[in-house]
Amino acid sequence: MALLEICCYSEESAIVAAQHGADRIELCAAPNEGGLTVSYGVLKRVRQRVTIPVHPIVRPRGGDFCYSAAEFSAMLEDIALIKSLGYPGVVIGVLDEDGNVDVPRMRHIMAAAAGMAVTFHRAFDMCQNPHEAFDKLGDLGVARILTSGQQASAEQGVSLITELKARSGVPIIMAGAGVRLSNLERLLDAGIAEVHSSAGRWTPSPMRYRHSGLSMSSDASADEYSRYGVDGDAVSEMKAMIARHRFC
C-alpha cells in the first residue's frame, strides 16, 4: 500500500495529520517560502507529542539551493540538533552553481545524518539533469527523492516520475507538489509507492483587531490574517483512497 506523507507547518498540523492517518510527516515552517527549518521549540515539542515518523526539513532560507559557506555550516548544525533530538530522518537538498547535485556537500550531509533517512527534496526539480542527479543521489545513499517530475505539479510531471521510478528501487521516488484527492488516484495508478501532500487549507486568524494597509511581509499583497494548516478530513480521505486502491 502506498505511503502518505503530509507536509506540516506547525505542531498543531503535525498532530492533526498523525491523528487522521498520515504515515509520515515532513515538518516545516514558512509555507509561503516553500518550507524552512522550524525552531528548536517546535522540534522539541513535535518530537515529544507525535509518535509517527517525522522528518524535519533543513533549509535556512527560501529561493535557490546553492548556499553560502555560512548557510551550509548552519545546515550542518541543524542536522546535528535534529539528530540529537532523536528524529529518524531529515529533508534537505543542495545544488551547485550549474544546477547539479553538489556531491561534496551532500557527502558532508550524509556523514552528519548517519543513521537517519535522508530525503532529497524538490531541489531535485531545479537540477539540470534529473537522470544524472538520480544516479548521484543513489550512489550517496539518499533514501528518497521528493519530486514533481520537474513540472509545476506531480500530476503534470507523472511521466518523468514513473520513468525515474523504473530505473531502480533506490532512491525511492516520492511524488509531491499539488497532490490532492482529485489527482491522487492517477498517481496510484502509475504505481507510485510514496506520495507527499500538504492536505492543507487557509483559515482566518482569530484576531479581531486588524491594522489594514500595513504589512510585515515583503509581499504587500500577502494576507497576514490567515493561517495555513492541515485539513484532517482531507488526510483521512486520501488515506481511505489509498486503502481502497490496494484492493483494486
Side-chain angles (χ1 to χ4, degrees), residues 26 40 153 168 190 198:
E26 180 192 62
Y40 170 72
S153 72
S168 169
S198 63

Side-chain angles (χ1 to χ4, degrees), residues 20-241:
H20 285 80
D23 297 300
R24 186 175 61 233
I25 288 168
E26 180 192 62
L27 183 62
C28 311
N32 288 331
E33 294 279 5
L36 303 180
T37 308
V38 301
S39 71
Y40 170 72
V42 173
L43 284 169
K44 186 176 179 181
R45 288 178 58 83
V46 169
R47 187 73 184 96
Q48 293 169 340
R49 301 188 66 192
V50 178
T51 57
I52 66 171
V54 177
H55 293 182
I57 197 170
V58 177
R59 187 176 178 223
R61 57 162 172 79
D64 64 42
F65 304 99
C66 184
Y67 297 105
S68 69
E71 288 170 335
F72 185 65
S73 294
M75 292 168 76
L76 294 178
E77 294 282 357
D78 284 336
I79 293 171
L81 173 61
I82 291 165
K83 187 175 184 179
S84 73
L85 290 170
Y87 280 96
V90 291
V91 181
I92 196 166
V94 290
L95 302 178
D96 65 19
E97 293 88 342
D98 296 313
N100 302 307
V101 173
D102 192 328
V103 173
R105 282 184 164 181
M106 281 302 300
R107 288 198 183 105
H108 284 294
I109 287 168
M110 298 305 294
M116 305 169 74
V118 174
T119 297
F120 195 91
H121 57 42
R122 291 189 63 221
F124 183 85
D125 292 324
M126 304 297 287
C127 70
Q128 182 179 165
N129 187 322
H131 299 94
E132 181 181 286
F134 178 93
D135 292 339
K136 287 180 178 179
L137 293 171
D139 291 343
L140 286 162
V142 166
R144 67 183 47 80
I145 298 168
L146 171 61
T147 178
S148 63
Q150 295 207 320
Q151 299 297 318
S153 72
E155 184 177 18
Q156 294 171 350
V158 70
S159 177
L160 178 58
I161 291 171
T162 53
E163 184 181 335
L164 292 168
K165 178 182 176 295
R167 288 173 69 90
S168 169
V170 180
I172 295 166
I173 293 295
M174 178 166 58
V179 175
R180 52 183 59 89
L181 190 66
S182 61
N183 57 27
L184 176 58
E185 190 164 21
R186 183 180 180 193
L187 297 171
L188 297 176
D189 287 343
I192 306 301
E194 299 192 4
V195 291
H196 170 100
S197 174
S198 63
R201 63 181 177 186
W202 291 93
T203 57
S205 163
M207 290 194 70
R208 289 185 293 272
Y209 173 74
R210 302 189 177 193
H211 190 160
S212 60
L214 181 64
S215 175
M216 297 293 110
S217 173
S218 59
D219 178 4
S221 66
D223 180 4
E224 294 179 331
Y225 294 101
S226 62
R227 301 176 183 183
Y228 195 70
V230 166
D231 181 344
D233 290 339
V235 177
S236 296
E237 290 168 0
M238 293 178 76
K239 187 68 175 179
M241 177 176 284

